[in-house]
Amino acid sequence: MTRRLDLAMLLVLTFSTGMVDAIGYLGFDKVFTGNMTGNVVILGMGLAGAEDTPVLRPALALVFFMVGAALGGRVLGRIGEDWHVRTTIIYAGVAVGCAGLAVYVALIPEPEVGLAGTIFTSVLSALMGAQAAAARRMKIADVTTVVVTSTIVGLASDSRLAGGDSVRWVRRALAVLLILIGAIAGAATLLINQWIGIAIVAAAIAVVTIIGHRGSRKRALAEAAASPVHA
């Protein structure tokens, strides 16, 4: 599997993060389920007593995101940056979990209210934490799938305007653009129903999982065919 394919898959996951964050923030009481920087800021304002600023859900989102990332790291172990069967397990689990949340949201009346909404944002944060751990292990510079602040800094500070050589400007611009488009798409799905956006996220992650797993198997077969046969 080429690193270019890895980059393309992580960009798709960046788009999905834009969707889940828009759905969480707009539909579930100002909670980011992928971008934990936003949750830290919201939590700080809430603890300071800012009016209509939540505390419980952002705090739980932070905790569950870290739990998901820790579990993801435990499953991945020391596999390196290449796609591994453990990578497939992580992404497949995230896809199935998001599909389950889509069903959960579709079946429960007013899923954004009370305990139901808190369960949704906490579980989704755990799933995004696991996904972020797997994406981090793939080591594609400037594409973390969950934040673009450092990507924007790199885009600007390495630009020709700043005296740089605009290295990796295409992937950086795409990461910013795709998280923006994802947020627009997530907000748009809320006009219909919350479950639709989560279902799209589940489908996107499932596609990435299938492509990544097949690419890994093809690479393994090619390497096996190219290696010398020992008696």
Side-chain angles (χ1 to χ4, degrees), residues 10-223:
L10 291 188
L11 288 172
V12 172
L13 296 178
T14 302
F15 166 82
S16 70
T17 298
M19 287 198 70
V20 298
D21 274 340
I23 292 167
Y25 188 85
L26 297 174
F28 290 84
D29 194 24
K30 300 178 182 177
V31 178
F32 290 107
T33 53
N35 176 14
M36 291 301 112
T37 303
N39 275 336
V40 171
V41 173
I42 290 172
L43 181 59
M45 293 187 295
L47 291 173
E51 187 177 356
D52 296 327
T53 303
V55 172
L56 177 62
R57 286 187 185 178
L60 288 175
L62 280 169
V63 171
F64 278 91
F65 186 92
M66 288 190 290
V67 169
L71 290 174
R74 172 66 70 175
V75 171
L76 292 166
R78 300 179 182 274
I79 62 171
E81 64 186 35
D82 290 331
W83 191 287
H84 188 275
V85 64
R86 297 185 183 185
T87 314
T88 299
I89 291 171
I90 293 294
Y91 286 134
V94 174
V96 171
C98 288
L101 286 177
V103 174
Y104 172 82
V105 169
L107 295 179
I108 293 182
E110 298 185 339
E112 72 280 4
V113 177
L115 180 61
T118 302
I119 291 173
F120 172 83
T121 55
S122 297
V123 173
L124 187 54
S125 294
L127 294 172
M128 291 299 103
Q131 174 181 292
R136 180 176 181 270
R137 195 63 58 90
M138 293 170 73
K139 295 181 180 179
I140 297 291
D142 300 307
V143 184
T144 66
T145 76
V146 289
V147 292
V148 292
T149 302
S150 59
T151 304
I152 292 171
V153 172
L155 183 63
S157 64
D158 291 338
S159 67
R160 297 191 185 281
L161 181 64
D165 56 4
S166 293
V167 63
R168 295 194 292 267
W169 74 269
V170 173
R171 72 172 62 173
R172 288 167 171 170
L174 283 174
V176 175
L177 179 63
L178 284 169
I179 206 167
L180 172 64
I181 294 173
I184 294 170
T189 61
L190 288 175
L191 299 176
I192 306 171
N193 197 294
Q194 297 103 321
W195 72 268
I196 295 175
I198 302 302
I200 293 173
V201 168
I205 299 171
V207 169
V208 166
T209 304
I210 293 169
I211 293 174
H213 184 69
R214 286 183 175 178
S216 176
R217 292 197 64 181
K218 286 181 180 178
R219 186 190 64 207
L221 290 172
E223 290 176 352

